[in-house]
Amino acid sequence: MKLKTVLENLDGLDEAVQAFYTEKDGKFFLNIEQVDDHPDVKGLKASLTSARVEKKALETKVTELTDKYSGLTDDFSTEEYNHLKDSGGGDINQKLADQRARLTQEKDTAVKKAESERDSYKSRVFLLQLAQFSQLSNTHSAIFFLPVKEGCLGHSQLTADLLYPCSGLGLPKRKSDLRLGEF
């Protein structure tokens, strides 16, 4: 008869056999001396030791690779790197720096273009709003305080009628009567 290493209860066992078990956490465990010498246990321990050594070696390798490649940017491309490397002599670091400078310049140019388009659209909206205010002035008595800065797009197209639709209130009647900074 083989003895089990773990039992839920000791029901049905001889009292002589029950003495070989000790209770721990609600279960009964077989007391065995020199369990490490058992062939199955030796195999498990050898596998565990081997797995631990392999894990340690892999962790060391990951640390080395992380240190080696930590300076790479997020947009690093191995294809572009290999192309630059294969394209001939010269310092690869200088080629990469030149590429970074070129890409940064392209980005800055695109940003300036987008900002210019945005400002153009803002000016168009501003002029449309001025036209709407001018049309409203024919039927309403109100003063519209509009921000006008010298050099702003569309500044030269503004007229006194657009800026001051209610000129009967003692406001300047011509654009030439206006002084910047009065608003």
Side-chain angles (χ1 to χ4, degrees):
M1 169 178 144
K2 291 184 179 181
L3 297 176
K4 294 187 177 185
T5 56
V6 181
L7 294 174
E8 295 292 323
N9 56 48
L10 297 178
D11 296 340
L13 285 179
D14 292 338
E15 286 186 27
V17 175
Q18 286 181 5
F20 295 123
Y21 288 91
T22 57
E23 182 180 3
K24 183 178 180 184
D25 298 328
K27 294 186 179 187
F28 295 91
F29 294 91
L30 183 62
N31 288 325
I32 302 174
E33 291 180 13
Q34 299 176 341
V35 73
D36 294 339
D37 294 334
H38 192 280
D40 291 341
V41 174
K42 281 184 180 181
L44 287 174
K45 283 199 167 202
S47 295
L48 177 62
T49 303
S50 173
R52 285 180 177 163
V53 168
E54 186 178 345
K55 178 185 176 208
K56 182 107 173 141
L58 289 174
E59 286 175 346
T60 303
K61 181 95 171 166
V62 166
T63 303
E64 289 172 4
L65 291 173
T66 301
D67 292 343
K68 183 176 180 179
Y69 296 111
S70 64
L72 294 178
T73 61
D74 292 337
D75 60 347
F76 179 79
S77 168
T78 55
E79 292 85 18
E80 184 70 20
Y81 175 81
N82 289 333
H83 173 70
L84 289 172
K85 186 177 172 184
D86 295 338
S87 65
D91 183 20
I92 188 69
N93 291 327
Q94 181 60 42
K95 289 180 180 180
L96 289 172
D98 293 344
Q99 180 190 22
R100 179 173 297 283
R102 179 181 50 83
L103 292 173
T104 302
Q105 184 179 8
E106 288 175 8
K107 178 196 70 135
D108 292 343
T109 302
V111 167
K112 286 179 183 177
K113 181 180 177 186
E115 287 174 345
S116 174
E117 288 178 14
R118 179 201 61 202
D119 293 343
S120 173
Y121 289 125
K122 278 183 170 182
S123 296
R124 289 179 191 171
V125 168
F126 178 72
L127 290 174
L128 288 172
Q129 287 174 340
L130 281 176
Q132 281 181 325
F133 290 143
S134 175
Q135 290 172 358
L136 288 175
S137 69
N138 292 335
T139 57
H140 296 84
S141 294
I143 299 174
F144 298 108
F145 295 98
L146 301 173
V148 177
K149 294 190 294 186
E150 188 171 1
C152 107
L153 193 60
H155 179 261
S156 61
Q157 292 106 358
L158 301 178
T159 64
D161 292 336
L162 286 175
L163 289 175
Y164 293 100
C166 300
S167 57
L169 299 174
L171 298 171
K173 294 181 181 172
R174 293 183 311 273
K175 182 177 175 184
S176 60
D177 295 338
L178 299 176
R179 290 191 311 267
L180 293 176
E182 288 183 351
F183 311 128

